[in-house]
Amino acid sequence: MTLKIGVIGTGAIGREHIKRITNTLSGGEIVAVTDVNQESANQSVEQYGLNAVVFPDDATLIAEGNVDAVFITSWGPAHEGSVLKAIEAGKYVFCEKPLATTAEGCMRIVEAEMKHGKKLVQVGFMRRYDSGYVQLKEAIDNNFIGEPLMLHCAHRNPTVGESYSTDMAISDTLIHEIDVLHWLVNDDYKSVQVLFPKKNKYAHQGLRDPQMVILETKTGIIINVEISVNCQYGYDIQCEVVGEEGIVKLPEVASITYRKNAALGANILMDWKDRFIDAYDVELQHFMDSIRDNGEPNGPTAWDGYIAQVTADACIKAQESGRKEDVVLKEQPDFYKNNLKTAQ
Ligand code: NAD
Ligand code: NAI
Ligand code: ISE
């Protein structure tokens, strides 16, 4: 069975996903596309030689597109409306992060999905599919370093555009750590705090960069995450877990080392597209395979999207207050329990 897919948002990541479904993965075909910028939608069809219909908007694509699943890769504020329309029509959904830009919006999606009665939605938290994080999780789950006590992490982008704002360091960037780290240590967040170090001279006016986020889990694990989005030198993701009996660290991306001009060096990637290329492949193949084999996706759920957004909202509040803010989650409905939530 080939999963017929419609793509809503043919920008940077929309096209990356179109490309991998068309050229790399098996079991899916892009049959419909739309974008608020119609020219972009037309170009994506031409660029990848798709046999796909271009629709004027998400509503018509979902209603008339003859699709089994929709990929929502538009900008964040548009996600909620498209997800709700897709659930209403009983279509499977792969939605890039954030699921919705507020916790209330995520909860509306959770409620709509539960009302529908079957899981339809997977959120694009691809780090759970990255082999480095999967190895870290295996080490922690097998008690290799004893109980985790502290995590030291960094999320660095070389540069960002003028439209990137201080809160986006949380809602657009940290959101990946928010999701993957509590999954990694099997714990929930209790509180968050945000510190603003000395400002990087490369940060545009109005943007506070870098930022240091401190998350505390319910069992007392302290996690610090440096967010730097003007680090200049590369796209660099770091994660070190300090346990009772040892330390495990996210592997560096494999690269040749060189000796040249009196220096010993290795290349660093510059772009998220390259850093997580394998994780995106595994993530989307898993989405399609789960639907084929089990009749529903079993990657990160709408409930995971809700947890991430509640935590992100608390971080944004902490940016403004300068204080420690509590993370208050509703109780997880039975509907979302016993989900595999992993790539394995
Ligand atoms: P982008 O700006 O390149 O693309 C967004 C596209 O959505 C644009 O083509 C825009 O015209 C279109 N769009 C906006 N509103 C729309 C609407 N209402 N209906 C239809 N199309 C609409 O952005 P991007 O970098 O591709 O990011 C898109 C999403 O992917 C964001 O949610 C972002 O957070 C997420 N993202 C995730 C990762 C990751 O690592 N998982 C990486 C990059 C981006
Ligand atoms: P982008 O700006 O390159 O592309 C977004 C596209 O969506 C644009 O073409 C825009 O015109 C279109 N669009 C916006 N609203 C729309 C709507 N209502 N209907 C149809 N099209 C709409 O953005 P980018 O970088 O591709 O990001 C898109 C999404 O992917 C975001 O949610 C972002 O957070 C997420 N993302 C995830 C990444 C990851 O690592 N998982 C990496 C990059 C982005
Ligand atoms: C982007 O949307 C992503 O998701 C990338 O993974 C992240 O590093 C970047 O900061 C975001 O803007």
Side-chain angles (χ1 to χ4, degrees), residues 32 144 191 222 227 229 245 303 310 324:
F144 181 60
S191 68
I222 301 280
I227 307 292
V229 294
E245 295 158 12
W303 187 256
V310 170
K324 206 188 244 195

Side-chain angles (χ1 to χ4, degrees), residues 193-231:
Q193 197 178 356
V194 180
L195 305 176
F196 293 105
K198 183 173 173 178
K199 184 173 165 172
N200 186 330
K201 70 175 177 188
Y202 293 105
H204 65 72
Q205 209 190 5
L207 172 63
R208 303 290 300 268
D209 176 59
Q211 301 182 28
M212 174 65 75
V213 183
I214 299 156
L215 304 115
E216 185 177 0
T217 69
K218 287 197 169 145
T219 68
I221 301 169
I222 301 280
I223 301 171
N224 61 67
V225 187
E226 171 207 318
I227 307 292
S228 291
V229 294
N230 287 281
C231 79

Side-chain angles (χ1 to χ4, degrees), residues 13 96-97 124 126-127 155-157 159-160 164 168-169 171-177 227-229 235 237 272-273 276 280:
I13 203 160
E96 268 303 338
K97 37 64 63 169
M126 78 296 177
R127 289 201 193 175
H155 187 154
R156 304 192 184 110
N157 291 190
T159 55
V160 286
Y164 188 98
M168 286 172 74
S171 56
D172 213 47
T173 302
L174 179 78
I175 195 106
H176 287 295
E177 272 79 14
I227 307 292
S228 291
V229 294
Y235 184 87
I237 305 299
W272 49 262
K273 294 186 192 83
F276 287 110
Y280 296 123

